[in-house]
Amino acid sequence: MSKRLDGKVALVTGGGNGVGKAVALSLAAQGASVVVNDLGTSEQAEGANRGAADVTVQEIVAAGGKAVPSYDSIATSEGVRNAVGIAEYEFGPVDIVVACAGALFPGDLTATDDTWHRFIDLFLAQKFFLARATVPGMAERGWGRFITVTSEGARGTLGNPIFAAAMGGVISLTKAIANDYQGHGVTANSFNPGAATRLYHATIASWEEKHAAGEITDEMWEAIKAGPGPASYVAPMVTWLATDAAAQTNGQVFSIGGGTVAKWSSFDVVKSIYRGDHRTTPEWTLDELDQVVPGGLLS
């Protein structure tokens, strides 16, 4: 019996743990040959350990699938080229990219320049480097799936301005790729995963401190403590986005966790105020805006 991704080549970053691992296992179960990329750092992006990628590869192979590891840092363009090169050498051109790699950094307005660059390189530049290395080839062959991880943080609700900037940038980058390559058999979508991964567990103490300080509500703290569910619940929807069935799903953002899949709204104009044509009416006065912005635009 054929599987939905037979003959496809997938590259999954962050594939040694959590959501990335669950996705790699799921893609392989549907017949994809998978390059499992993971530098093997700690939750704080420190050190390196080949064991993370190796364990995922071993599980895929033991289940009858095809997989090889990549230990490259995909926060660099060179690392991405190496990871893509491994895929091409072992299996052929990359058809599916799922960019899951991430870590925990302090990203408030006291962060150093170095922290800013590390954050942007890992969370945002990673996706650009991956797209540059794979999406044009997908378009030439007439089929491809580019899938990126974003976060609730993109909406600014978690604070951490650098993280918010990076995750919001991921959404815009992905939507632009979707727009540029529509009609070429390539789709690009993002997802916000809700899963009880090691990164989730590493943040619990900080959220408890925020709750104690009154920075988050009791309801939000209770939801955080309850946990979002296992990573395996995220993988099916991500895998579906990589199949032919999702050919018309493009430029979307989904929240996936537990038993829920939700689609985020697009960046649409939701309300306007009208002064009149600029050729026949004067510009707004501040006194006018005092009235119409709160009462008309923001109400």
Side-chain angles (χ1 to χ4, degrees):
M1 182 177 179
S2 63
K3 300 177 180 179
R4 292 199 183 197
L5 298 176
D6 278 342
K8 302 300 184 186
V9 177
L11 169 59
V12 181
T13 72
N17 292 282
V19 171
K21 178 176 182 177
V23 169
L25 294 172
S26 181
L27 294 173
Q30 288 299 321
S33 299
V34 183
V35 174
V36 178
N37 167 264
D38 203 301
L39 183 59
T41 65
S42 70
E43 293 90 335
Q44 289 75 31
E46 297 171 346
N49 184 350
R50 294 189 171 194
D54 287 343
V55 169
T56 303
V57 168
Q58 290 164 8
E59 291 185 26
I60 291 173
V61 173
K66 297 179 181 179
V68 295
S70 157
Y71 314 114
D72 299 286
S73 169
I74 41 66
T76 68
S77 58
E78 180 181 7
V80 167
R81 287 195 298 270
N82 289 342
V84 172
I86 289 170
E88 293 173 342
Y89 178 80
E90 295 287 345
F91 302 125
V94 175
D95 303 298
I96 301 163
V97 171
V98 184
C100 289
L104 296 176
F105 295 104
D108 61 25
L109 294 183
T110 66
T112 65
D113 290 359
D114 179 64
T115 297
W116 163 266
H117 290 295
R118 290 185 71 200
F119 231 124
I120 297 301
D121 286 349
L122 177 56
F123 286 101
L124 180 56
Q126 169 198 173
K127 279 82 168 184
F128 171 74
F129 296 149
L130 286 165
R132 183 174 63 184
T134 61
V135 170
M138 294 176 185
E140 289 178 4
R141 297 188 299 276
W143 197 97
R145 301 289 184 266
F146 190 76
I147 304 168
T148 60
V149 165
T150 185
S151 167
E152 168 68 22
R155 302 198 301 155
T157 55
L158 304 182
N160 201 331
I162 302 177
F163 182 62
M167 293 294 95
V170 168
I171 293 174
S172 295
L173 173 71
T174 306
K175 285 179 174 290
I177 293 169
N179 184 64
D180 280 353
Y181 287 90
Q182 61 183 339
H184 294 272
V186 178
T187 65
N189 295 283
S190 291
F191 70 100
N192 165 37
T197 64
R198 63 177 187 152
L199 294 183
Y200 161 80
H201 289 295
T203 65
I204 290 295
S206 65
W207 285 115
E208 186 172 16
E209 292 175 2
K210 289 178 182 292
H211 177 250
E215 296 176 14
I216 62 173
T217 65
D218 292 342
E219 291 77 13
M220 186 174 182
W221 171 232
E222 289 301 320
I224 291 169
K225 286 195 299 180
S232 61
Y233 277 67
V234 177
M237 179 62 184
V238 179
T239 300
W240 183 83
L241 288 171
T243 68
D244 287 333
Q248 302 306 312
T249 305
N250 197 26
Q252 302 296 326
V253 183
F254 300 94
S255 280
I256 312 170
T260 301
V261 178
K263 185 174 80 73
W264 285 17
S265 63
S266 298
F267 300 147
D268 297 323
V269 174
V270 295
K271 187 177 286 189
S272 302
I273 52 175
Y274 184 60
R275 182 71 175 87
D277 191 288
H278 67 277
R279 290 165 295 189
T280 58
T281 58
E283 63 271 14
W284 291 102
T285 68
L286 296 184
D287 289 339
E288 289 173 329
L289 292 172
D290 286 342
Q291 301 299 315
V292 298
V293 172
L297 196 60
L298 302 180
S299 61

